[in-house]
Amino acid sequence: MLSGNNTFLTGAPGAGKTYVLNDFINRSLRLGKRIAVTASTGIAASHIGGTTIHSWSGLGILDFLSEEDKKRLGNSEKLIKRYNGVDILVIDEVSMLHGARLDMISTVAKMLRKSDKPFGGMQVILVGDLFQLPPVSRGVQKFDFIHNAEAWQELDLKICYITEQHRQTADDQLLKFLELMRSSELNEINGEIVTSRVGLKPKDGQVITRLYSHNIDVESINKQHLDAIPTAPKTFQMQTKGSSAKVEQLTKGLLANEVLELKIGAEVMFVANNFAEGYVNGSRGQIIDFDNSQPVVELNNGRIVVVEPHNWSLNEDGKIRAEVWQLPLRLAWAITIHKSQGMSLDAAEIDLSRAFTPGMGYVALSRVRSLGGLYLKGLNNMAMTMNPDISELDNQLRTSSTTLATVTPDAEEPTEQDDNSDTPEQDDTLLNKLKLWRREQSQDSGVAAYMVASNKALEAAARIKPQTTTQLLGVPGFGAKKVEQFGQQIIDIINPNN
């Protein structure tokens, strides 16, 4: 990944994909790389501090690209700058991304970056586990998995398959069961590992989360339990900043509620990470008090936390477009399997009697840390189903990753000295040439120098050194009109030998 290769980062739930991704992003930023961090769903995007690939790409809900769409996208100055202002495109949770959409994004990137290379020459990092929930395919029998896309083949992806497990312990029976599911080696005998948990009830006083396949069950259970507490609720309203459209876009991807009602005794779950305070996404607890109107939560491990509002933001093109503040809590007597992706639960009661798609049972079971914390309310024939095409592909991915690992040295730990060693430095000689050119243009046209190009724009150009007018569009301070007027002159100054 650090070598600039297009990469598919994959592995089982709890293997540490998000940790590796965040480390890569931080290192790349220190090296001066410009990164767009996106995900296939709003929930996944909120976990990594990014936006949805649908929004970032400008495609929205389009299912195919018409010639009219291409023309409209090609004339968007905002999108031209966005695509050309990125070195690395990250797409998380790709199991739920349609192959056709990956092709559409690559098509638009080639068009806006004026390059026939895959994704117009951006480095692409795909992240996810293809055994997770598949793309939604209404009325279609065959799933449009991402690996079927032409763009997948064009990218010539390096496979990084993480195998170390950080959620379940190596000797736990649940981990063995999940590994058998992934390898399509389940049979009636080893299937009893999980079926033996059907009908078991939690111990008296044990607090667990209930996972359901349908949202209507979750809302009903949470309301029923909250109403049963005979005190008045305290209400917490989400605070927002930004345009209504961008705020709506951000809030759709959050597990936090716009209006949250809490009572002492309510079972809650954290929906954000705060390692300093001792909780992570999925941590369970109970409201035990209110301190100056802030809820006090006792975590299941006994830690007491006074919960303060958490900030989520929508970052596009290097700018914060929307922000919201809300308590990072939601009622946790029940939650949907879909919204549980990315969580680690000490215990859960799971109802898979209405599972409706391959991988749903696997997602639900893999949330739980150990077999002893698993309680199954029901199973149907779909619950333990995995897509056979993905099982076959998974074997190929493992083999590719193993082969790559034998020839790839470990990345060195970054040092303070290394943090800025490869960051593109400003070329002062080039900057002086650009300023001299600007002064001449200013005198010839009779306008102020800053109206030709700002200092920041020239400094960025002297640092990034774009090779084409298309790349110049990705430099802050250079819009389409300015590039049309002065672009070739600037490129000639930067690259006098071309």
Side-chain angles (χ1 to χ4, degrees), residues 321-340:
R321 304 296 184 181
E323 289 184 277
V324 302
W325 293 262
Q326 177 59 294
L327 296 175
L329 297 172
R330 69 178 294 123
L331 297 177
W333 285 285
I335 191 171
T336 63
I337 293 171
H338 172 72
K339 290 181 179 178
S340 74

Side-chain angles (χ1 to χ4, degrees), residues 1 4-9 89 91 94 102 118-119 122-127 130 146-160 393 396-397 400-401 404:
M1 293 163 69
N5 292 301
N6 299 321
T7 304
F8 178 38
L9 175 63
L89 174 61
I91 310 178
V94 295
L102 190 72
F119 284 80
M122 287 185 285
Q123 181 185 4
V124 177
I125 307 296
L126 304 178
V127 186
L130 297 180
I146 192 171
H147 69 279
N148 294 322
E150 290 183 14
W152 175 282
Q153 308 302 325
E154 289 183 342
L155 284 169
D156 188 26
L157 294 157
K158 302 296 183 183
I159 307 302
C160 179
L393 174 65
Q396 299 172 16
L397 296 176
S400 297
S401 179
L404 182 64

Side-chain angles (χ1 to χ4, degrees), residues 346-368:
D346 292 322
E349 181 183 80
I350 302 173
D351 186 359
L352 290 171
S353 62
R354 298 169 65 196
F356 56 85
T357 191
M360 180 168 280
Y362 179 78
V363 170
L365 296 175
S366 59
R367 299 306 99 202
V368 188

Side-chain angles (χ1 to χ4, degrees), residues 2 23-33 35 88:
L2 291 171
D23 190 29
F24 167 72
I25 291 172
N26 290 333
R27 292 185 188 217
S28 297
L29 289 172
R30 288 198 295 268
L31 295 175
K33 299 293 185 180
I35 307 177
I88 304 170

